[in-house]
Amino acid sequence: QVQLVESGGGLVQPGGSLRLSCAASGSVFSIWPMAWYRQAPGKQRELVARIGSTGRTSLADVVKGRFTISRDNAKDTVYLQMNYLKPEDSAVYYCNVDIAGLQYWGQGTQVTVSS
């Protein structure tokens, strides 16, 4: 059974940083792409960052230069380093893995950027 557990969310002031972690279990994750999505109230869930099995990354334009996605295959963990956070980054952040076309999601972690 695939499980994704996010951690690291919280309240931070504008300009601050947070590091999200997603611990995966129940499958071999190193060969599959993993991603971070986010969903703000009243908005659709959007892709924030994606990392392939080889470590190749892609980022949404709105977070380029501020966020970094990485993975540690030995720990089956994917990270999202978020710097220079803005109020508009406030959302529930979800970890995602695509296993042969099947999507799996974590429960989400709340990120609130506010002074």
Side-chain angles (χ1 to χ4, degrees):
Q1 180 181 357
V2 173
Q3 281 194 314
L4 304 173
V5 180
E6 301 99 334
S7 61
L11 173 64
V12 64
Q13 292 186 342
S17 299
L18 283 175
R19 188 194 195 205
L20 306 184
S21 299
C22 172
S25 62
S27 182
V28 176
F29 293 93
S30 62
I31 61 174
W32 304 112
M34 299 189 73
W36 287 95
Y37 286 73
R38 68 186 183 186
Q39 187 168 19
K43 295 187 177 181
Q44 289 190 330
R45 191 171 295 189
E46 62 177 356
L47 176 64
V48 176
R50 185 178 184 273
I51 185 166
S53 59
T54 60
R56 184 172 182 177
T57 64
S58 62
L59 295 166
D61 287 344
V62 294
V63 304
K64 282 181 179 177
R66 301 188 298 121
F67 290 12
T68 303
I69 186 172
S70 61
R71 66 191 297 168
D72 184 338
N73 288 333
K75 296 181 178 180
D76 284 335
T77 300
V78 63
Y79 304 97
L80 185 67
Q81 178 66 45
M82 305 186 295
N83 299 326
Y84 305 107
L85 283 160
K86 304 175 181 180
E88 51 264 43
D89 294 318
S90 298
V92 178
Y93 283 71
Y94 296 93
C95 181
N96 166 274
V97 62
D98 181 343
I99 298 179
L102 294 177
Q103 304 292 325
Y104 295 88
W105 299 90
Q107 82 287 351
T109 186
Q110 177 71 48
V111 171
T112 302
V113 185
S114 175
S115 55

